[in-house]
Amino acid sequence: MRVDVVAVGTELLLGQIVDTNSCWIGEQLAAHGFDSLLQVKVGDNLGRVVAALHHTLEHADAVIVCGGLGPTHDDLTREAIAAVMGVDLELHQDIADRIRAMFEARGRYMPDNNLRQAMVPAGAAVIAQTRGTAPGLICPVTIGEDQRGKQGWKAKVLYAVPGVPHEMKDMVERAILPDLHGRSGDVAVIVSRTLRTWGESESGLGERLSGIIDELDAVGNPTLAFLASGWEGLKVRLTAKASDPDSAATLLAEWSRRVAEIVGDRVFGYDDDTMESVVLQRMRERGMTLGLAESVTGGLVAARLTGIAGASDVLRGSVVSYASAVKFDLLGVTPGPVVNEDTAGQMALGARRVLDSSVGLALTGVAGPAEQDGMPVGTVCIGLAIGDTVHTTTARLPGHREQVRQMSVITSLDFLRRRLD
């Protein structure tokens, strides 16, 4: 069964609000085995909302409409659905009474425009509101020859939920997913496994995995996709559809093993792993502690590590040695140019000494906008001191200033991870 999503709201198109609702709905549909192939955003215009609903209903068995159920003049979802159904809106007095009681319970006067939320397309079922004033809707729609360009008629369904996330989630879980299962009569699950990688481009991984990609294209299940995710790494996602979770897991285990064998040590984790959580766990298992010295990143490495609960048993602290004088006076770096591997190594040793850690990790470089010490923008030198042994490397990172700083974080932690392994 195919279930697509339409998000209503001009604010979504203007970028004033990020459409996290469609993302969450898509995750729930996949987890329950429903195909969702299209997500649409449309502004608060009656004609365009009606057109968007007609378009999605041409191809989907069901459409979830999110937003536009409020009490103001630009909340047009009810009117649009009624137009698609070819019916009028009717006042449901029980909904009006419930909304009025909500206002009275808060000691507030109910503006008359809230009665718009009690208007329901004729023939639609209501999803009772438990967390807000707007009820949801379950609306049967019959698509005929004039709309589909084909002979015959087909029964479909439109669901409408509020745009407020906690209200939307409650209705999807409480009413829409059970209703979809009842209509589909098909029990299936869609499960994904994500391999988290770093150290190779998306095109490079695509070339390396071309043989497996060809095999998967031939069998059709599971599917493979790449997701470039900035300083979260490059994700290789395998998605399988099966009759039950165990069957899907078995399918994913075999193909993820084959992918991992080809990608090798560029795979640093799976699913919810992050580079920082993996590094912390590696060090924890080895009884190691970490001290940081950050110049180009200005504390970003420490911020990422301390975002993981329990990081304090590994991370001793960070010296943000942004000024050269701090490198010289506090970390004991030999005065001179500071964007080079020798400086990075000395900074790592200094971090170990100052923070009394078993491992020191240091970064110095050029984030921009101009070159420094004869080094171009994007140059990042990394130093790693494990005991008294020093390892260094230099990375050339693309992008603007903030991209260079962010990529420096995952690159330096990956350098540490590889040395630990």
Side-chain angles (χ1 to χ4, degrees), residues 190-232:
I190 297 177
V191 181
S192 293
R193 184 89 194 274
T194 301
L195 288 76
R196 310 289 289 266
T197 78
W198 188 249
E200 190 161 0
S201 66
E202 184 174 348
S203 58
L205 278 180
E207 185 175 275
R208 189 182 292 271
L209 292 170
S210 60
I212 280 186
I213 292 172
D214 289 343
E215 287 187 60
L216 289 173
D217 285 345
V219 299
N221 187 34
T223 59
L224 184 148
F226 298 104
L227 297 88
S229 304
W231 61 349
E232 299 292 342

Side-chain angles (χ1 to χ4, degrees), residues 48-81:
R48 286 192 282 272
V49 176
V50 170
L53 297 182
H54 277 307
H55 175 71
T56 49
L57 283 168
E58 286 179 6
H59 306 286
D61 301 297
V63 175
I64 299 175
V65 189
C66 186
L69 293 178
T72 59
H73 71 283
D74 57 348
D75 290 307
L76 302 169
T77 295
R78 284 176 293 269
E79 288 84 350
I81 291 177

Side-chain angles (χ1 to χ4, degrees), residues 212-290:
I212 280 186
I213 292 172
D214 289 343
E215 287 187 60
L216 289 173
D217 285 345
V219 299
N221 187 34
T223 59
L224 184 148
F226 298 104
L227 297 88
S229 304
W231 61 349
E232 299 292 342
L234 177 57
K235 301 172 185 176
V236 182
R237 187 188 65 202
L238 289 162
T239 303
K241 185 172 184 178
S243 58
D244 59 83
D246 289 342
S247 298
T250 299
L251 194 60
L252 289 174
E254 171 61 20
W255 286 97
S256 63
R257 179 190 62 78
R258 293 183 58 187
V259 170
E261 286 178 350
I262 294 172
V263 178
D265 66 358
R266 292 169 180 80
V267 176
F268 65 81
Y270 294 85
D271 297 329
D272 294 331
D273 289 336
T274 62
M275 185 67 79
E276 52 269 27
S277 70
V278 168
V279 166
L280 286 170
Q281 187 58 31
R282 295 279 207 285
M283 297 193 72
R284 188 176 291 116
E285 291 168 354
R286 293 161 174 76
M288 292 177 165
T289 56
L290 178 64

